[in-house]
Every structure is written in C-alpha cells, then in structure tokens.
Amino acid sequence: MKNPVPQAASLLLEKLMLLVHVHIRPFLAGSGGETTPPAPGDYDISSFKRGDLLEVPRTLFIHFGIYLGENRVAHLMPDILPSFTDDLQQIQQVVTNKRLILGVIARTASVRVDTVEDFAYGGSILVNHMDRLFEDQVLGSEESARRAEKLLGATAYSLLWNNCEHFVTYCRYGAPVSFQTDKFCETVKMIIRDQRSVLASVLVGLASIVCLGLAPSTTLPTIFIPFFLWMAG
C-alpha cells in the first residue's frame, strides 16, 4: 500500500496555493475585493498573430492564453458560474474575484474568450516565449487557434493537473504540460524527502491556520485531522 503522507502533503500544498491564487489578477483589499480593469487600447496588438501563445507573468505564477485574432484571447480560468447557468451572456462577463475563488475551491473553470486587456489585466505580455522549449513540436498557428476554439466552454480545474498552462501547451504543442507546476511538485517532494524540513512542515501547518481561519488555541493534532478530512472531501 502506498504511503498516503506524500499525497496528502501534496494536496495540502495545492489547497493552500489555490487559496492564495494570484496568477489571474492581483487581489486588492477593499469593498468587494475587486480591481479596476485596464482601459481599452493599453496594448499594441498589431504584432500578435492568430495562434500566438501569450504569457502574462504574475507574482507567483504565469497566466497563459492563445491569441485568436481581432483582440480576442482564449484562456482557461477558474469560474464557478458555469456550474450554475448556461447563460452565455452572464458567463462572458469579466470574472470577479469571488467567482474565481469559488471556482478554484470547486475545481471548476471555463475556457473563455476575452479581450487582450481583460486577459492581461495590466501585466506585461510575452509572445511565444515557450517555443524555445519545444523545438520542432510547434503546431501551425491556425491549428493552435482551432484547438483553442474547440475547447471553449466549461471544464474541470486543478492548479497541478489542469490549469491555463496545460491548456495552451496542448493547443500550440500538442501536449498538455505545465512546467511551473512540475517545478512546484518537485519542491514538494524535496520537502517531504528531507527529514530536516520539520520547520517547513510547521510553516505549512501555520499557513493552513491563517488561510482557513482556525482558532489559535487549536492544538496541532486537532488542526491536521480535520484538515486532511477536508482535503479528502
């Protein structure tokens, strides 16, 4: 029987990273916790070609999308709304932070089309920056765009197994991979293997207390038992 501890620890860290998920847009304190979208025309799209892979670096992650032409970007984004309605007019509205967070928790998302401005949300854009990693695997621009268009709509979401990077690498290179989450998983494995990482484990536990708002008086054993039950659910 496989040791459940590494798997549980990986799920724990995934939950924590999801709760502080900022690779779509920054979260701001204030009423509603929403940000003001950038004004149209903030980006020069004249150099973008249909099928281009766009990257927007964020604080902890990179957000990815496929350019479809005419100022439209297809990208995978956590969103709870498609689970409750098929009204495309409502779903197509810019995803609020509340919708995003609920989508992350429920592990639901949608591949949607937004303007370059809404996709980048004020961040700088890199074009086809990943091509160097795939050498001769780059598909044709039209094929990449068509793959993205075929996947539009509701889908499952996971930071580790099905995120925006998996989406774009499948569309442009034919293989759904995520280098940033692979690196994250390797870091988790190192922490688990390293018997000297007790402090790191304690910090993860303390972070879970902060993220989940558990009472400070709760002892560590009673913290982790319900927390692992929560993960299993």
Side-chain angles (χ1 to χ4, degrees), residues 79 81 85 87-94 99 112:
D79 186 6
L81 196 56
T85 180
D87 188 338
L88 296 180
Q89 187 173 359
Q90 291 187 41
I91 294 174
Q92 190 54 37
Q93 294 176 2
V94 175
R99 280 172 57 182
R112 53 184 288 129

Side-chain angles (χ1 to χ4, degrees), residues 5-155:
V5 174
Q7 182 180 7
S10 178
L11 287 173
L12 166 62
L13 290 176
E14 180 181 357
K15 294 284 187 180
L16 292 176
M17 294 301 289
L18 290 175
L19 289 173
V20 294
H21 193 67
V22 294
H23 81 291
I24 300 295
R25 65 186 58 147
F27 296 129
L28 298 182
S31 60
E34 305 301 336
T35 59
T36 302
D42 283 356
Y43 296 92
D44 179 11
I45 64 174
S46 60
S47 61
F48 296 169
K49 298 179 181 178
R50 180 171 164 84
D52 279 348
L53 190 157
L54 307 184
E55 301 181 31
V56 180
R58 292 298 187 194
T59 304
L60 298 179
F61 295 93
I62 300 173
H63 188 47
F64 298 87
I66 297 291
Y67 188 64
L68 301 180
E70 300 178 344
N71 197 30
R72 298 176 302 132
V73 182
H75 59 130
L76 189 154
M77 188 171 181
D79 186 6
I80 192 65
L81 196 56
S83 299
F84 296 98
T85 180
D86 294 327
D87 188 338
L88 296 180
Q89 187 173 359
Q90 291 187 41
I91 294 174
Q92 190 54 37
Q93 294 176 2
V94 175
V95 178
T96 63
N97 289 331
K98 291 179 181 178
R99 280 172 57 182
L100 185 150
I101 294 172
L102 290 174
V104 165
I105 294 173
R107 297 194 176 191
T108 62
S110 65
V111 177
R112 53 184 288 129
V113 176
D114 286 304
T115 65
V116 170
E117 289 80 15
D118 286 337
F119 162 75
Y121 225 83
S124 58
I125 298 178
L126 301 176
V127 183
N128 299 331
H129 193 246
M130 296 180 69
D131 284 5
R132 71 192 192 284
L133 301 175
F134 287 87
E135 298 181 351
D136 299 330
Q137 292 180 250
V138 181
L139 301 176
S141 296
E142 186 60 29
E143 172 66 16
S144 300
R146 287 180 179 177
R147 284 187 172 215
E149 290 169 338
K150 288 180 180 178
L151 293 174
L152 294 178
T155 185

